[in-house]
Amino acid sequence: MRSQEIIKITEKFSAHNYHPLPVVLKKGKGVWVWDVEGKKYLDMLSGYSALNQGHCHPEIVKATKKQIESLTLTSRAFYNDKLGFFLQKLCSLTGYEKALPMNSGAEAVETAIKAARKWGYYKKGVKKDKAEIIVCENNFHGRTITIVGFSSECQYRDGFGPFTPNFKMIPYNDVHALKKAINKNTVGFLVEPVQGEGGVIIPDDGYLNECYKICKENNVLFIADEIQTGFGRTGRLFACEYENVKPDILIVGKALGGGFYPVSAILCDKRIMDVFKPGDHGSTFGGNPLASAIGMAALDVIIKENLPGRAYELGNWFMEELKKIKNPVIKEIRGKGLLIGIELKKKARPYCEALMKNGVLAKDTHDYVVRFAPPLVIKKEELKWALPRIKKAFDTCVF
Ligand SMILES: *Cc1c(COP(=O)(O)O)cnc(C)c1O
């Protein structure tokens, strides 16, 4: 079946909560994907960084196949022979004592919020139902009612109220605002080290470190959402490492499932995690043996192939090359590792369509930004392949 027919059927039966580029993919390998007509594209989105290991990584395929033939789901009503080792690997890699596995990123964020609130009541001594969490303007933490309730994006909220109370919004990259917003009921500060969906917004050097110190001084949990920035994307295993910050709660997802399966988690030490008692929180699929096997393989690839190091080297090089593209529509090019945004003076969507025609798949974010975030297994030659095509797309896109 041709692309146009498939798109028609998809549009007919699906909710219109997305506006995809008109390309129908059927195969992926490493950094490349193919559409149903056989045309090849370079994937510069990587499933919003869920595909740091590239498409269908052979090691993760192998682990998936092996596990799928022996045991896929137990629920947490029983133990399984994979979960403990998965969490052990995740904890030793990140330096935390405990991990709580979920599926989607949004669920992990919800889990972090629950952990912080309960910690507030049981450890910090906040009075019943008074706990407050501070969040940043322009954030993206997922799509549940609670999470969109503290979004500053009107469209994410419109029509979905009423929302969960007691989230306080402050400007991003503003240390003073954090200081001012904290009171005796504040239990956590939830922040992205780089705002990915927000348009690849990079805070000033020192911001995270200063915020962390303020949180420490006030007995407030510093909660980092590294669902997108984590596992090598920005050139370190975690973006917080750039500022020597070890968050009290670290939220991970996306690449933890290697692009195969939704796997997310929160990480923290016992002093926080032990607020959860049997029955307090859970998920039927969270921590299932298939997810655990895939998670272990996904982590192994990140380490074995030094994805953070690759992202650092190639990201710096690629950003310099992109800056050589002179085009009046480009307002700014910014990034960290292989999370790069090109902010335009015009809406980015037509440029993404032009890129697609030239064999490069990228998506606009926040209307005016084209995000380049290829799988971290990408080679320099493959980035070199993309450069003239990106230049051409910008040059020929007039609308
Ligand atoms: C993608 C993302 C989420 C939500 O993850 P889902 O798996 O889509 O629920 C949360 N926070 C950040 C920073 C993200 O990029």
Side-chain angles (χ1 to χ4, degrees), residues 2 16 62 73 100 138 168 170 188 201 208 223-224 227-228 278 287 301 307 334 354 357 361 372:
R2 313 260 317 159
H16 292 171
K62 206 163 85 187
L73 184 75
L100 196 167
N138 198 43
K168 199 185 261 181
I170 60 168
I201 308 296
L208 296 172
I223 308 167
I227 291 171
Q228 185 160 160
V301 170
L307 298 189
R334 53 178 181 257
K357 288 189 186 111
L361 292 183
F372 288 130

Side-chain angles (χ1 to χ4, degrees), residues 48 104-107 109 140-142 192 197 225 227-228 254:
Y48 304 97
S104 70
E107 282 176 300
V109 172
F140 183 83
H141 297 290
E192 298 157 87
E197 297 311 299
D225 180 346
I227 291 171
Q228 185 160 160
K254 291 201 168 112

Side-chain angles (χ1 to χ4, degrees), residues 66-86:
K66 190 168 168 223
Q67 188 60 38
I68 229 162
E69 283 169 357
S70 64
L71 186 68
T72 55
L73 184 75
T74 53
S75 86
R76 297 288 304 277
F78 315 116
Y79 289 90
N80 71 65
D81 69 344
K82 291 288 175 301
L83 176 61
F85 299 101
F86 168 48

Side-chain angles (χ1 to χ4, degrees), residues 18 47-49 103-109 140-144 147 192-197 225-229 251 253-254 262 264 371:
Y18 277 95
Y48 304 97
S49 294
N103 312 283
S104 70
E107 282 176 300
V109 172
F140 183 83
H141 297 290
R143 298 290 201 159
T144 64
I147 294 170
E192 298 157 87
V194 174
Q195 291 185 328
E197 297 311 299
D225 180 346
E226 292 238 25
I227 291 171
Q228 185 160 160
T229 51
I251 312 172
K254 291 201 168 112
S264 67
R371 169 177 34 196

Side-chain angles (χ1 to χ4, degrees), residues 246-259:
K246 187 181 174 206
D248 297 300
I249 302 179
L250 178 67
I251 312 172
V252 293
K254 291 201 168 112
L256 185 56

Side-chain angles (χ1 to χ4, degrees), residues 79-375:
Y79 289 90
N80 71 65
D81 69 344
K82 291 288 175 301
L83 176 61
F85 299 101
F86 168 48
L87 300 183
Q88 182 180 45
K89 195 180 272 274
L90 188 57
C91 285
S92 68
L93 189 63
T94 55
Y96 289 92
E97 293 171 354
K98 296 264 185 192
L100 196 167
M102 298 297 283
N103 312 283
S104 70
E107 282 176 300
V109 172
E110 291 269 353
T111 303
I113 291 168
K114 285 171 100 171
R117 279 185 168 185
K118 196 152 188 206
W119 171 86
Y121 298 126
Y122 284 79
K123 301 270 171 120
K124 181 166 171 166
V126 173
K127 291 223 167 62
K128 188 171 185 288
D129 289 347
K130 295 286 182 212
E132 288 182 10
I133 291 176
I134 299 170
V135 298
C136 293
E137 282 171 11
N138 198 43
N139 69 66
F140 183 83
H141 297 290
R143 298 290 201 159
T144 64
I145 292 283
T146 290
I147 294 170
V148 297
F150 58 76
S151 171
S152 55
E153 194 69 26
C154 292
Q155 198 202 347
Y156 294 174
R157 300 164 53 90
D158 183 39
F160 298 125
F163 299 114
T164 312
N166 283 22
F167 291 91
K168 199 185 261 181
M169 178 118 53
I170 60 168
Y172 190 55
N173 196 22
D174 186 338
V175 175
H176 187 66
L178 176 64
K179 236 181 247 176
K180 261 193 4 203
I182 290 175
N183 62 43
K184 66 180 193 320
N185 295 324
T186 309
V187 296
F189 172 52
L190 174 61
V191 66
E192 298 157 87
V194 174
Q195 291 185 328
E197 297 311 299
V200 191
I201 308 296
I202 298 156
D204 296 337
D205 288 345
Y207 171 66
L208 296 172
N209 193 284
E210 286 288 313
C211 288
Y212 179 77
K213 276 193 218 145
I214 292 166
C215 286
K216 279 286 94 121
E217 284 161 14
N218 292 281
N219 197 22
V220 166
L221 300 178
F222 183 98
I223 308 167
D225 180 346
E226 292 238 25
I227 291 171
Q228 185 160 160
T229 51
F231 298 123
R233 174 56 57 190
T234 68
R236 293 280 186 275
L237 187 59
F238 294 102
C240 282
E241 288 171 25
Y242 278 106
E243 306 232 339
N244 295 314
V245 166
K246 187 181 174 206
D248 297 300
I249 302 179
L250 178 67
I251 312 172
V252 293
K254 291 201 168 112
L256 185 56
F260 281 66
Y261 200 84
V263 188
S264 67
I266 70 160
L267 289 144
C268 57
D269 286 341
K270 258 199 297 264
R271 69 184 175 94
I272 299 165
M273 199 69 98
D274 68 9
V275 299
F276 286 122
K277 305 285 181 237
D280 279 0
H281 187 50
S283 158
T284 303
F285 279 83
N288 72 65
L290 182 58
S292 300
I294 289 172
M296 277 190 272
L299 290 173
D300 284 343
V301 170
I302 291 162
I303 299 312
K304 265 195 213 149
E305 303 191 16
N306 185 22
L307 298 189
R310 299 181 61 89
Y312 185 80
E313 296 288 325
L314 290 173
N316 286 340
W317 173 81
F318 189 56
M319 198 149 72
E320 289 314 307
E321 292 298 311
L322 285 172
K323 283 179 180 166
K324 291 179 190 162
I325 297 176
K326 297 293 172 212
N327 190 304
V329 79
I330 296 174
K331 192 173 160 196
E332 191 189 26
I333 299 179
R334 53 178 181 257
K336 214 163 203 171
L338 278 170
L339 181 56
I340 297 173
I342 303 190
E343 185 170 340
L344 306 180
K345 291 172 191 152
K346 293 183 183 175
K347 293 248 180 187
R349 170 91 187 188
Y351 288 88
C352 291
E353 287 168 5
L355 283 163
M356 184 191 95
K357 288 189 186 111
N358 285 282
V360 175
L361 292 183
K363 195 70 171 58
D364 49 307
T365 176
H366 237 243
D367 290 345
Y368 292 91
V369 180
V370 180
R371 169 177 34 196
F372 288 130

